[in-house]
Amino acid sequence: MATADDLLDPPAREPFLQTPFGRNIALGVGAAVVIALMVAVWMWSQQPEYKILFANYNDRDGGAITASLDQMGVKYKFSEGGSAILVNSEQVHDVRLKLAAQGLPKGGNVGFELMENQKLGVSQFLEQVNYQRSLEGELAKSIQSLGAVSAARVHLALPKPSVFVRDVQKPTASVLLNLQSGRAIDAAQVSAIVHLVASSVPELLTSNVTVVDQNGNLLSDTSKAAGGKQLDPNQLKYIEAVQAGIVKQVESLIKPLVGENNVRAEAMAEIDFAQVDTAAESFKPNSPPEPQAIRSQQTSEANGPGGGAASGVPGALSNQPPGTATAPLTATAGAPPGTAAPAAGPTRKDANTNYEVDKTVRYEQRPMGGIKRLSVGVVVNYRRIVDAKTGKVTVRPLAPAEVAQINELVRQAMGYSKDRGDTLNVTNAPFDGVDKPVEPAADIPFWKDPANLPLAVRLLKYLVAAIVLAFLWFRVLRPMLRPVFRKIDHINDDAETADAEEEAAAEEEAKERAAVEEAQATEPVPEPPGAQGYRENLAMAKALAQNDPRVVANVVKAWVGAE
């Protein structure tokens, strides 16, 4: 019954967290938080590496790409202010191929697919504009396929055709390149872009193509438009390749004779890039002693009548044909009477002989890239002699025979030609530090090798995750769960003790039954009145003990506790 003091000063209530129920709740919440932290650390260590799938895309392409990724079930995320889409590094190439099969990203450039949706009633001007847009889009797509170019725009100025030659204008083109971050484009690539655009537009000259980057720098070479002549970057590379090949041949041939790092060679090559086609036709007069070849010969001979003086009366009678001739009845050996014998006329002979004239026709075609002249310089180090006893290094020049041998080998290696005007100079001189012992190159330590940096980062990531998990388990979660483990151990100990007691009681009872049965078997006891009922009860107890020993053990335990 509450008193007045209890009503005036009620007892203070125990805080909730100090109660057993509150402690159990706090313990469960703490364990859940620690387990969540451990799972978060483990997931962080197992998080896949994301790489850029596409960057610098427009909004339309971005929406189409994300929708396609959602349909394929590919996880992605954005970075760099939403200008790049990242996916798992193991899926980058696979996803790119799948998106390319769908025509993504389109890049904001419309190609010849614009011509597929032509409407009826389109004017010729609009058709020309669509064709120009399609051509510009296709050129931009081709240029964007270069690794250093992220985006490109092409502007074509196609003049209208004219029937007057004086009014014909050549087309021009302008290319705007947006390069990748930290990337640059060399002169050879710029020349390739210029030739690509010029080859795609009819009658477009390479000098009329202008290439500009996103910073406003003029990349194309305008000297050709002003009439200047410069070597093409490919020609410069060819010259460097020829010179490097000659140097490599010379050094590889001399190194076995003088040793490693004891020979230096340089070559200067003059290359003729002019392509010459020559056709020559020469005639040689025939010499009198040489037999002359007759090409054609023609001979004609004519015999004419006697050349007497003209006779007869001029007039019409002289121009009349003669009368009918009559043969004489008798022939005489001589001339007929009354006629004069014909006189023998002059003989005319004509001969025309054509002789062959000596003629030589020569066609010569010299390909571009031929070597006009070579200049090679070779420096050979002194011979190094190391004393086996003292280890002292001495040097001496090469013998003249050795220098002559090296000179001849270099001539063969470079393809020396005196008619071409090649020059060669082989010099034997001591190198700087030739008397110093050769020191092997220092090996780069494992931790300083840049090739091992990705592996070190991954191992460090796993190590940090393991340390954090170990700290949370041994310092936080295990101390919090220690009371729970103690309770579980206590319950298990009690259960084990009870089982042991039951087993001991069962063993004692079994021993007693065995002793009783043995005594009954050895010493027959006269059955008192009611002994038969006792035996039946004992048999029932034995059967019960065999079928359900736990019940018998509980009964024995109750007997012992009652005593």
Side-chain angles (χ1 to χ4, degrees):
M1 185 174 179
T3 60
D5 296 335
D6 295 336
L7 296 175
L8 294 176
D9 189 9
R13 297 183 60 184
E14 187 177 3
F16 176 75
L17 295 178
Q18 295 181 3
T19 60
F21 182 71
R23 288 195 296 269
N24 293 335
I25 291 179
L27 181 62
V29 172
V33 171
V34 173
I35 293 174
L37 290 176
M38 295 177 67
V39 171
V41 172
W42 174 254
M43 293 179 63
W44 171 79
S45 63
Q46 298 296 325
Q47 186 178 6
E49 183 181 1
Y50 281 83
K51 288 187 177 181
I52 296 177
L53 178 64
F54 293 110
N56 297 325
Y57 50 84
N58 53 23
D59 295 339
R60 180 177 299 177
D61 287 342
I65 291 172
T66 53
S68 180
L69 293 178
D70 292 335
Q71 292 178 359
M72 292 187 294
V74 178
K75 295 183 179 180
Y76 62 90
K77 63 181 182 179
F78 300 94
S79 67
E80 299 180 4
S83 61
I85 299 177
L86 307 179
V87 297
N88 191 354
S89 58
E90 299 178 355
Q91 299 178 342
V92 171
H93 303 289
D94 187 20
V95 173
R96 282 181 181 175
L97 292 177
K98 292 181 179 179
L99 293 176
Q102 301 177 9
L104 296 175
K106 298 180 179 179
N109 296 321
V110 180
F112 280 109
E113 61 269 13
L114 184 62
M115 308 296 294
E116 298 176 357
N117 300 323
Q118 291 290 336
K119 299 180 181 179
L120 295 176
V122 178
S123 62
Q124 184 179 2
F125 174 76
L126 188 56
E127 288 182 353
Q128 184 65 25
V129 171
N130 291 337
Y131 171 75
Q132 182 172 344
R133 288 181 57 196
S134 303
L135 186 58
E136 292 174 351
E138 292 294 335
L139 290 174
K141 290 180 181 179
S142 301
I143 297 173
Q144 287 177 6
S145 61
L146 299 177
V149 180
S150 62
R153 294 192 65 183
V154 179
H155 302 280
L156 298 177
L158 304 178
K160 296 181 179 180
S162 176
V163 295
F164 300 101
V165 178
R166 67 181 67 180
D167 296 335
V168 173
Q169 297 180 0
K170 297 294 183 180
T172 58
S174 301
V175 181
L176 177 61
L177 301 179
N178 189 3
L179 303 179
Q180 298 282 358
S181 178
R183 299 288 297 274
I185 188 170
D186 56 6
Q189 292 175 326
V190 174
S191 178
I193 294 174
V194 170
H195 285 79
L196 173 65
V197 176
S199 302
S200 303
V201 180
E203 299 182 359
L204 177 59
L205 303 177
T206 56
S207 58
N208 293 339
V209 180
T210 304
V211 182
V212 184
D213 63 359
Q214 72 272 20
N215 297 323
N217 299 322
L218 181 62
L219 303 179
S220 58
D221 187 9
T222 58
S223 60
K224 296 182 180 180
K229 296 183 179 180
Q230 294 184 356
L231 288 179
D232 190 82
N234 296 328
Q235 297 178 355
L236 297 177
K237 287 185 178 181
Y238 177 75
I239 296 175
E240 294 176 357
V242 171
Q243 296 177 167
I246 295 174
V247 171
K248 184 179 180 180
Q249 292 177 359
V250 172
E251 292 184 351
S252 62
L253 192 62
I254 306 302
K255 280 181 182 179
L257 300 178
V258 299
E260 190 73 22
N261 299 326
N262 289 326
V263 59
R264 295 289 186 274
E266 291 294 337
M268 179 67 69
E270 296 182 8
I271 308 298
D272 185 9
F273 292 102
Q275 187 174 2
V276 180
D277 295 337
T278 304
E281 184 176 1
S282 60
F283 297 91
K284 183 176 66 173
N286 294 320
S287 300
E290 297 180 357
Q292 299 178 355
I294 297 176
R295 180 177 182 182
S296 63
Q297 187 176 11
Q298 183 179 3
T299 304
S300 63
E301 182 177 355
N303 294 324
S311 61
V313 180
L317 294 177
S318 299
N319 296 331
Q320 292 180 358
T324 304
T326 59
L329 298 177
T330 59
T332 58
T339 62
T347 302
R348 180 181 178 182
K349 293 183 179 180
D350 295 332
N352 185 12
T353 303
N354 295 325
Y355 296 94
E356 291 288 352
V357 179
D358 291 342
K359 176 182 178 181
T360 303
V361 180
R362 185 179 70 256
Y363 295 96
E364 181 183 0
Q365 183 176 7
R366 290 186 298 170
M368 59 183 300
I371 298 177
K372 296 174 59 177
R373 185 171 178 271
L374 284 178
S375 299
V376 179
V378 181
V379 180
V380 182
N381 192 11
Y382 276 10
R383 184 78 67 184
R384 300 175 72 247
I385 302 175
V386 181
D387 192 353
K389 296 181 179 180
T390 60
K392 185 178 180 181
V393 179
T394 58
V395 295
R396 65 174 179 83
L398 299 179
E402 294 178 338
V403 176
Q405 182 183 10
I406 292 174
N407 196 337
E408 186 64 25
L409 290 175
V410 173
R411 287 175 181 268
Q412 298 296 329
M414 64 177 285
Y416 181 84
S417 177
K418 185 178 180 181
D419 298 336
R420 198 169 52 193
D422 296 347
T423 59
L424 173 63
N425 187 8
V426 178
T427 303
N428 182 216
F431 288 3
D432 185 17
V434 69
D435 54 346
K436 296 181 181 180
V438 179
E439 297 180 357
D443 296 335
I444 300 177
F446 176 80
W447 59 87
K448 292 184 179 180
D449 191 358
N452 299 325
L453 182 60
L455 179 60
V457 171
R458 182 170 296 180
L459 292 178
L460 180 61
K461 183 178 180 180
Y462 290 151
L463 181 61
V464 170
I467 292 174
V468 173
L469 291 176
F471 176 79
L472 293 175
W473 170 256
F474 289 105
R475 289 293 184 181
V476 181
L477 186 59
R478 188 175 180 182
M480 293 176 62
L481 298 178
R482 189 171 296 169
V484 178
F485 292 155
R486 289 178 180 175
K487 291 181 179 180
I488 294 173
D489 294 339
H490 181 68
I491 294 172
N492 293 335
D493 293 341
D494 293 343
E496 291 178 358
T497 303
D499 293 339
E501 292 178 355
E502 292 177 358
E503 292 178 359
E507 290 178 358
E508 291 293 336
E509 184 180 357
K511 289 180 180 180
E512 291 179 359
R513 288 198 301 268
V516 171
E517 291 177 356
E518 184 178 359
Q520 291 178 356
T522 55
E523 297 181 2
V525 181
E527 296 180 358
Q532 186 175 2
Y534 173 76
R535 286 194 300 270
E536 292 178 357
N537 294 334
L538 182 59
M540 292 175 61
K542 290 180 180 180
L544 182 60
Q546 292 179 357
N547 295 333
D548 197 355
R550 186 176 294 274
V551 176
V552 177
N554 292 333
V555 173
V556 174
K557 186 176 180 181
W559 290 348
V560 174
E563 292 180 358

